[in-house]
Amino acid sequence: MNSLAHRVPLSSLRLSVSSSSWRRFSRKESHNHKFRALPVVSSAASTTPISNAQTKERLKLKQLFKEAYERCCTTPMDGVSFTLEDFHAALSNYDFVSELGTKVKGTVFSTDASGALVDTTAKGTAYLPIEEACILKIRHVEEAGIYPGLEEEFVIIAEHETDGSLILSLRRLQYGLAWERCRQLQAEDVVIKGKVVGANKGGVFVLVEGLRGFVPFSQISAKSTAEELLDKELRLKFVEVDEELSRLILSNCKAIANSQAELRIGSVVTGTVQILKSYGAFIDIGGVNGLLHISQISHNHISDMATVLRPGDTLKVMILSYDHERGRVSLSTKNLEPTPGDMIHNPKLVFEKADEMAQTFRQRIAQAEAMARVDLLRLQPESGFTQSFDGILGGLAPELPA
């Protein structure tokens, strides 16, 4: 107790005397004046008190916080070298354009199944929806090459109604570039390829440079149904490119006619059977579809195409004629038969002898052409002879079905 008294001043203790203790003290005092007892000290007195130095330190800190709060309320910029005017001046050095239709540069920093988040340094985080990420339909933005870290130019298409954040698009930019590319290809009269993705009563829809174009059935060289053409690629040329009206019209016939310039009448080429019809077979001869009419397959009569040819068969055919306007090619294996009926009974022999038989056929036609020239000059000596070898062969080709 002496040591505790030395450490804790009695003046700092709070004493609490209970009423029961005071009654006991009073009774004992009344019976025995010689015995004196001290009041009971409560448990609160056993805790370590806070020193005067600590109290002063806390009061000092409280005063400092109070003064700092008053300065923030009254003079918040006092002592700050970078003023509010300086901040506005710094912002004016950056062009944060957020009008709809304007282009902004941004960096992709996050992607998911629904789109991508883009940092454009303006109005916080911008959003690129998956349907605006590519001109083609995709299931994830990564299919269009969009990954975190990609720096790209976007176009602003909207603002979010809730927080005002920007909504971006890459598809709009790609759409404009695709139309420009189509105009350029049309001007250069280039043959391209387009994949058939749909059809209606008038023709088929194709994908060209990411755009949806239309090819009328009248401009398709092979007389095929929409189901037969679906998911296949067609050689095409542009007929009309109008971005304002969203009209993109193409022709397969014009593309075929362009390729036919390299094909000589009377020449033998190797082709693959694509489609069988009741009136003949369509043969792919290096990207060009030609018709092998049923009457030009063999000297012998054929009642069923399937008994002679099957899709996927490879054979040699001779070019009889082609129609530049409609882009149609007429073919023949009948004139390549060593003996009548070989295409039915021995097609392998026809394949092996095709070049030899074609040479013989050309010689025979050349002789017929020379004789016709002599006869015509004899009848009309001043008119001249204008019919060519191509014209004679063209007359041998059957009329293609409408």
Side-chain angles (χ1 to χ4, degrees):
M1 288 295 296
N2 292 335
S3 60
L4 179 61
H6 286 294
R7 285 185 287 124
V8 182
L10 293 177
S11 59
S12 64
L13 293 178
R14 296 171 58 191
L15 301 180
S16 177
V17 180
S18 64
S19 58
S20 60
S21 299
W22 180 252
R23 286 193 298 270
R24 290 196 303 270
F25 171 74
S26 300
R27 286 196 300 269
K28 290 181 179 181
E29 188 70 12
S30 60
H31 292 287
N32 188 8
H33 294 279
K34 295 182 180 180
F35 180 79
R36 300 182 66 183
L38 291 176
V40 177
V41 181
S42 67
S43 60
S46 63
T47 58
T48 304
I50 301 174
S51 66
N52 292 334
Q54 290 175 328
T55 302
K56 292 180 180 179
E57 186 68 24
R58 290 184 179 182
L59 291 174
K60 183 178 179 181
L61 289 175
K62 183 177 180 180
Q63 182 63 25
L64 289 175
F65 282 120
K66 181 179 179 182
E67 292 175 357
Y69 176 76
E70 291 176 352
R71 285 197 303 271
C72 290
C73 294
T74 56
T75 55
M77 301 302 296
D78 187 24
V80 179
S81 60
F82 191 80
T83 65
L84 186 61
E85 289 74 14
D86 295 333
F87 177 71
H88 288 300
L91 287 179
S92 64
N93 295 328
Y94 298 89
D95 188 15
F96 293 146
V97 180
S98 60
E99 295 181 2
L100 303 186
T102 57
K103 298 177 182 178
V104 293
K105 290 185 178 180
T107 303
V108 177
F109 65 88
S110 177
T111 63
D112 57 26
S114 60
L117 295 177
V118 183
D119 178 17
T120 61
T121 68
K123 283 201 169 186
T125 300
Y127 183 61
L128 175 69
I130 187 171
E131 59 270 14
E132 294 293 336
C134 185
I135 196 172
L136 301 175
K137 288 186 178 181
I138 55 176
R139 292 174 296 179
H140 197 285
V141 292
E142 293 184 356
E143 295 180 23
I146 300 174
Y147 293 90
L150 173 69
E151 296 182 0
E152 190 59 84
E153 188 175 56
F154 305 85
V155 62
I156 301 172
I157 61 173
E159 287 189 11
H160 199 279
E161 296 180 356
T162 304
D163 56 9
S165 60
L166 301 179
I167 299 178
L168 309 177
S169 174
L170 279 175
R171 186 183 68 86
R172 305 286 178 93
L173 295 176
Q174 296 171 358
Y175 189 76
L177 292 174
W179 278 103
E180 179 62 31
R181 176 64 175 162
C182 288
R183 286 191 290 268
Q184 179 183 359
L185 294 173
Q186 183 189 31
E188 296 175 357
D189 199 30
V190 175
V191 176
I192 62 169
K193 287 186 177 182
K195 184 179 180 180
V196 178
V197 294
N200 61 17
K201 293 181 179 180
V204 298
F205 297 101
V206 294
L207 277 182
V208 177
E209 297 294 325
L211 300 176
R212 191 178 177 93
F214 183 71
V215 185
F217 281 125
S218 62
Q219 292 297 316
I220 300 177
S221 61
K223 291 302 177 181
S224 307
T225 64
E227 291 75 14
E228 292 170 336
L229 293 173
L230 190 62
D231 293 329
K232 291 187 177 180
E233 286 191 338
L234 296 178
R235 294 167 64 87
L236 303 166
K237 270 194 172 185
F238 291 96
V239 175
E240 182 179 355
V241 179
D242 192 331
E243 182 178 0
E244 293 184 359
L245 298 178
S246 295
R247 285 174 59 87
L248 190 62
I249 311 299
L250 304 103
S251 171
N252 171 245
C253 293
K254 285 191 174 184
I256 295 299
N258 184 81
S259 302
Q260 289 166 357
E262 303 175 0
L263 302 175
R264 292 187 302 107
I265 301 300
S267 62
V268 175
V269 294
T270 302
T272 304
V273 178
Q274 297 292 313
I275 302 170
L276 293 181
K277 296 290 185 180
S278 60
Y279 52 81
F282 286 97
I283 314 297
D284 179 8
I285 49 175
V288 177
N289 280 329
L291 174 63
L292 177 60
H293 197 271
I294 191 170
S295 64
Q296 287 294 322
I297 295 177
S298 177
H299 285 86
N300 290 4
H301 176 71
I302 298 174
S303 58
D304 186 3
M305 290 289 301
T307 61
V308 184
L309 299 173
R310 293 178 302 175
D313 285 350
T314 300
L315 65 159
K316 287 186 177 181
V317 293
M318 187 175 72
I319 299 173
L320 287 183
S321 67
Y322 64 83
D323 185 337
H324 286 279
E325 293 297 326
R326 294 185 293 178
R328 296 178 177 179
V329 183
S330 296
L331 307 173
S332 174
T333 54
K334 174 181 179 178
N335 296 311
L336 301 180
E337 288 183 321
T339 56
D342 281 342
M343 270 301 294
I344 301 174
H345 307 296
N346 194 1
K348 183 178 179 181
L349 179 63
V350 177
F351 190 94
E352 294 174 352
K353 297 287 186 178
D355 294 315
E356 181 183 335
M357 293 303 299
Q359 179 64 26
T360 302
F361 181 77
R362 286 193 293 267
Q363 291 174 356
R364 191 163 64 247
I365 294 299
Q367 293 174 0
E369 184 183 31
M371 292 176 63
R373 184 184 294 111
V374 171
D375 291 341
L376 186 59
L377 288 174
R378 185 184 302 115
L379 296 173
Q380 299 176 343
E382 295 181 359
S383 64
F385 183 72
T386 57
Q387 190 176 18
S388 65
F389 177 54
D390 292 357
I392 294 175
L393 282 178
L396 296 175
E399 178 65 23
L400 298 181

